[in-house]
Amino acid sequence: MEEYNHGSLEESKDVDDARIEEKPGHDFDPVSYYENNAGRLVVDPAEARAEFGDDIANGLKLSFDGSKVLWPQPLEDPGDPQNWSDFRKGVQLLIITLAAIVPDFDSGLGTASIFALATQFNTTTGEINNLTNNWSIFLLGWGGIFAVMAIRRYGRLPVLFWTQLIALGFLVGCTFAPNLRTFAAMRCLTAFFGTCPQVTGLYIVTDMYPFHLQARKLNIWTMGFLVSPFLSPFAFGFMVARTSWRWVYGIGSIYGAIVLLLIVLFGEETMYDRRPGTPKLVSTAGSTILRRVEVLIGVTGASMAKYRASWWDVSRIWIQLTWRPHVFGVLLFEAMLFGFSVGINGTNNIFLKTPKPEGYGFSQFAVAGCYGTPVVAVVLGELLGRYMNDFIMNFSIRRNNGVFKSENRLWSCYVAVVLYVVGMVLMGAAFQDHLTIAAFIIGWGLVEIATMVNTVAIYAYLNDSFPKFQGETSALLNLARILGGFSVTYFQVPWASRNGALQTFGCEAAVAAGLFLIIVPALQVNGQYFRVSLLLDSQSYL
């Protein structure tokens, strides 16, 4: 893991003197530059000399190898999360990644036990899907909006703690629900409160890591919640074939309790205001138990709230963000591409178990084994995205003379869309023409690899374009993927039964590819204009 060099440009490699232009000294606020020069960062030390002048450039902190300027600039404060040790950062990244698994993992418990639930409550799998799966997925998106509003006021850690505690309580309620109505209510409330880690992760990554490492760390966090809806059908599909579905929810509750315990014991507050003159939260490292409890449960956050955004500010920011073309465009594109992959998680179970000739007629054991496909695919997508994003970033910085522009993040989408279209068409053909199961597995794997790569690219693009609104852009993206996917199970199976799976999956792939062609190239050409002319003033909301 990369460390930082807290020296200056004078300690870095030699630069081309012909490119250095002496500039008179003037006030330069690194915090203001990072936040308000959104989407364009001077990363190369030589270019920093050329743009800022020697006086300013000599004071900028660099990466350990001296090749990149650190954004945001770490302060001379050990409490600044950017200054934490690699191990300390790694622990927080691990906790938020494990926590990000919880919401969709809990949602996927219903996929694993859908047939057992239908038998238990004397109904059909369609009603179980419509009443419990779909509406719980729908509330995953809206819960993130309210979580971010609370985080702005009270901090990352207390909101994460309370939401996971409440979600765990409702999941336990699912385990012992006596009837379908109670079960459905508990599932929906579990989803609403549990979704917090899926919008907090972007905050925590950018709190701790500089610009040039953020996409790599986002890959890890994103992998957590992308793989989570498949883990439960894969792991518990075997169990539900042998025992009660209540054991599935019971073990899910145990996992939630383990994550909650990790948050209580090792979670730290990463929220840190870098603006001059603002009160700084004292680090909890080595502090008393009472001090840690106050930070964990929100006593400290409540006392700091008067220095942070008001409820009015955290409520109105959503409209200010969403109407911007470069935000709305990528949200719409991601909503369809990710949304269809959300939908197939619920419907593939039905396709695979439906008796021949309409389906594959697989047993519960065979279906559970098939759900190992997206688990492996998401891991492969993480590896592909990790190296591809780093290559694109470094290549773009060299091509732009030491400057990185956020639109360059979108090059990963080109690779993702090609894989996505091939995978969706192959899946549709496999279902319709009853091809060997290998065709279905390869198709599903390609779809999930594409979803992983594309999602990280969109997260990184929005983060670079709005570096002070990570939570808001993360919550909007989470909502977009949910709105795009929760309704798919309503129409996908009936459509495929009526007109064939190839038409169904092919049309869905065409929608995603069409939106890509309309939105992504246009943003790469005009994105800088949108960013500059429609700059969002962060000071109005902080």
Side-chain angles (χ1 to χ4, degrees), residues 195-213:
T195 192
C196 179
Q198 295 184 335
V199 298
T200 311
L202 186 57
Y203 267 138
I204 292 176
V205 166
T206 52
D207 286 341
M208 298 189 301
Y209 295 99
F211 153 80
H212 66 283
L213 295 179

Side-chain angles (χ1 to χ4, degrees), residues 4-6 61-63 68-74 210-212:
Y4 308 150
N5 173 13
H6 292 285
K61 297 178 177 66
L62 309 179
S63 59
K68 295 178 177 67
V69 179
L70 297 180
W71 300 111
Q73 284 281 289
F211 153 80
H212 66 283

Side-chain angles (χ1 to χ4, degrees), residues 158-310:
V159 177
L160 182 62
F161 166 72
W162 283 112
T163 55
Q164 297 314 287
L165 178 63
I166 295 171
L168 176 59
F170 285 124
L171 187 62
V172 172
C174 289
T175 307
F176 298 101
N179 52 61
L180 182 57
R181 181 173 298 179
T182 303
F183 177 81
M186 291 295 166
R187 277 207 66 186
C188 291
L189 290 169
T190 299
F192 181 82
F193 286 99
T195 192
C196 179
Q198 295 184 335
V199 298
T200 311
L202 186 57
Y203 267 138
I204 292 176
V205 166
T206 52
D207 286 341
M208 298 189 301
Y209 295 99
F211 153 80
H212 66 283
L213 295 179
Q214 287 172 4
R216 187 185 305 176
K217 306 306 177 183
L218 284 175
N219 257 305
I220 298 172
W221 167 66
T222 306
M223 180 180 66
F225 70 78
L226 259 70
V227 77
S228 58
F230 310 114
L231 283 175
S232 35
F234 174 59
F236 298 129
F238 299 103
M239 175 182 290
V240 80
R242 293 288 188 182
T243 187
S244 169
W245 62 269
R246 295 188 189 276
W247 276 105
V248 171
Y249 277 85
I251 295 177
S253 299
I254 293 173
Y255 176 73
I258 292 172
V259 171
L260 181 64
L261 186 63
L262 290 174
I263 293 171
V264 171
L265 295 179
F266 305 109
E268 295 193 59
E269 179 58 77
T270 62
M271 189 172 186
Y272 188 85
D273 195 337
R274 302 176 187 284
R275 292 174 298 170
T278 55
K280 304 294 189 289
L281 183 66
V282 178
S283 173
T284 56
S287 61
T288 64
I289 294 178
L290 177 60
R291 167 67 180 159
R292 175 162 182 78
V293 170
E294 288 177 343
V295 174
L296 178 70
I297 66 175
V299 173
T300 304
S303 66
M304 295 285 288
K306 60 178 176 289
Y307 304 109
R308 296 169 176 165
S310 67

Side-chain angles (χ1 to χ4, degrees), residues 394-429:
N394 292 322
F395 178 80
S396 301
I397 291 171
R398 291 194 301 269
R399 188 184 66 175
N400 295 328
N401 297 321
V403 175
F404 184 82
K405 298 179 181 180
S406 60
E407 288 75 27
N408 291 312
R409 296 288 191 193
L410 298 176
W411 286 111
S412 298
C413 300
Y414 288 77
V415 176
V417 166
V418 172
L419 295 176
Y420 189 84
V421 170
V422 173
M424 291 289 278
V425 171
L426 189 55
M427 255 202 314

Side-chain angles (χ1 to χ4, degrees), residues 35 127 129 132 179 238 240 248 263 310 314 337 344 363 416 495:
E35 294 177 2
E127 185 175 1
N129 245 342
T132 66
N179 52 61
F238 299 103
V240 80
V248 171
I263 293 171
S310 67
V314 299
L337 186 142
I344 62 177
S363 67
W495 184 5

Side-chain angles (χ1 to χ4, degrees), residues 134-148:
N134 295 341
W135 284 109
S136 66
I137 292 173
F138 177 75
L139 289 172
L140 280 173
W142 293 103
I145 300 292
F146 291 95
V148 167

Side-chain angles (χ1 to χ4, degrees), residues 115 347-362 367 434 493 497:
F115 286 91
T347 57
N348 280 353
N349 189 19
I350 298 173
F351 281 126
L352 292 171
K353 289 200 71 172
T354 301
K356 295 180 179 180
E358 288 79 11
Y360 279 91
F362 280 3
V367 172
H434 306 290
V493 174
S497 300

